[in-house]
Amino acid sequence: MNVASLPDRRAELDPHGAAVSDEHRSLTNTQLLSRVRTAARQLQDLGIGAGDVVALKLTNRVEFVVLLFAAWRLGATITPVNPSMTDVEVVRQLQDSGARLLVVEDGAAVASPGVTVLAVGGLHEGTVEPDQAPLLDPATLALLIYTSGTTGVPKGVMLDHANIDAMVGMGLRALELGPADRCLLILPLFHVNGIVVSVLTPLLAGASVVIAGRRFDPHGFFDLVERERPTFFSAVPTIYSMLAALPDDVRPDTSSLRFAVCGAAPASAELLARFEARFGFPLVEGYGLSEGTCGSTINPVGGPRRAGTVGLPFPGQEVRIVDADGSEVEPGTDGEVVVRGPNVMRGYLGRPDETARVVVDGWLHTGDVGHLDAEGYLTLVGRSKDMIIRGGENIYPKEIEDVLAGDPSVLEAAVIGVPDEKWGEVVVAYVQPSPGASVDATALKELCARSLTGYKRPTAFFVVEALAKNAVGKIDKTALRAHHAALSARS
């Protein structure tokens, strides 16, 4: 079914059943449908219709879900905006997406030239007469998810309703969800994972969703679990590491939890085993990309889980490993992971050449390196290019390098990820001064603060006489990482 009609379907089947809640309000299925209809009418009054883009710069809250369905009801597209973005980053996304409306937190000041701004507190809460049925064209663009590219310019991943419907259906089967389930949403809704895994999939199953609105707090997390009694949640390895590091006397009641999903970055088999032994519920590790509408493989909830792997393909998807020539390799042989299925994105907004390089004959080339075993379980062994994953957030060095190169004192910059116990990786920058110039690390830090979201900012700056180059004159990041590791070992 088309997820745009989920509020209508749920209100018809179970009018008084719980739908979605946060720390401020709880909506039944009927109340959710009423709020969606009212919001859709308000969006119409603001000039929003089919084909328009609505940007949501919101924290996790019920209104995000209401606006998601309200926009889809009109045939409009949602582009989520990270609330921690700088004005520079926000304006860039608004302009690239062609957004006509930006919804922000009450009191938020944001630059949005040419875009109408609506404070979330200004959403109407009354009732409206039954409106038109939701527009249900599978080819309508549903989400524009922005992800940084190796060029340093964030790209809009175009996901249509056919992509969303396919992924949600796959997730429903893979996670074995039903009406008795209850999802605790702790990941941000500006990621496709939060929208698809923690909202749309449980709602399709007839389950309910509780939204944890505040910043994740490991010390209060299990109090929330005991109070809300969820049956599952989805998180990144950094969160599980924080929870596993809680004092030994923290022994919460986790009896409501059937499982939790671990994704967005590799997790060690040791962490998974230690976590499950302590807290008594399994972690199922999965893998995917925004370009694949969130998930492509996952360890079975009810079948054999293999720690150290990211599981089997979701139902309806194909996963292959190919060599540099694009030929499929034998099980156990490393190569590039490629994915095919109805979940593969329509493409990158306004970037047909980049789309053609990434999606070839229907196969999504992930750029990740791994191998399949004889039973089809995928093991990731590396990442192509130089992407950094900090606490589940993908960071592409080129974007940061471009910012640093904007300082006249910097001739060249190289950004790498270095191991970090808490975040998995953090960002470190090496800079080579322009001839005759002196680099001021404090000025570079201030430049990054103005231009980059917090998690992208380098934690340290190293000024070097020259950056190592390879045989073709490109910066040799392999050598740079080795150099940094040697420095760290001596310190």
Side-chain angles (χ1 to χ4, degrees), residues 216-232:
F216 177 77
D217 173 19
H219 299 283
F221 175 74
F222 284 116
D223 292 337
L224 184 61
V225 168
E226 291 178 346
R227 183 170 68 250
E228 297 292 348
R229 306 293 292 168
T231 61
F232 80 101

Side-chain angles (χ1 to χ4, degrees), residues 7 47 52 82 124 136 138 163 180 186 197-198 201 219 222 224 248 255 299 326 334 382 398 420 441 478:
D52 291 328
N82 183 340
H124 299 162
L136 302 179
N163 294 143
I186 58 175
V197 175
S198 298
T201 302
H219 299 283
F222 284 116
L224 184 61
D248 290 340
S255 58
N299 271 279
D334 288 339
K398 185 64 165 58
D420 181 81
T478 300

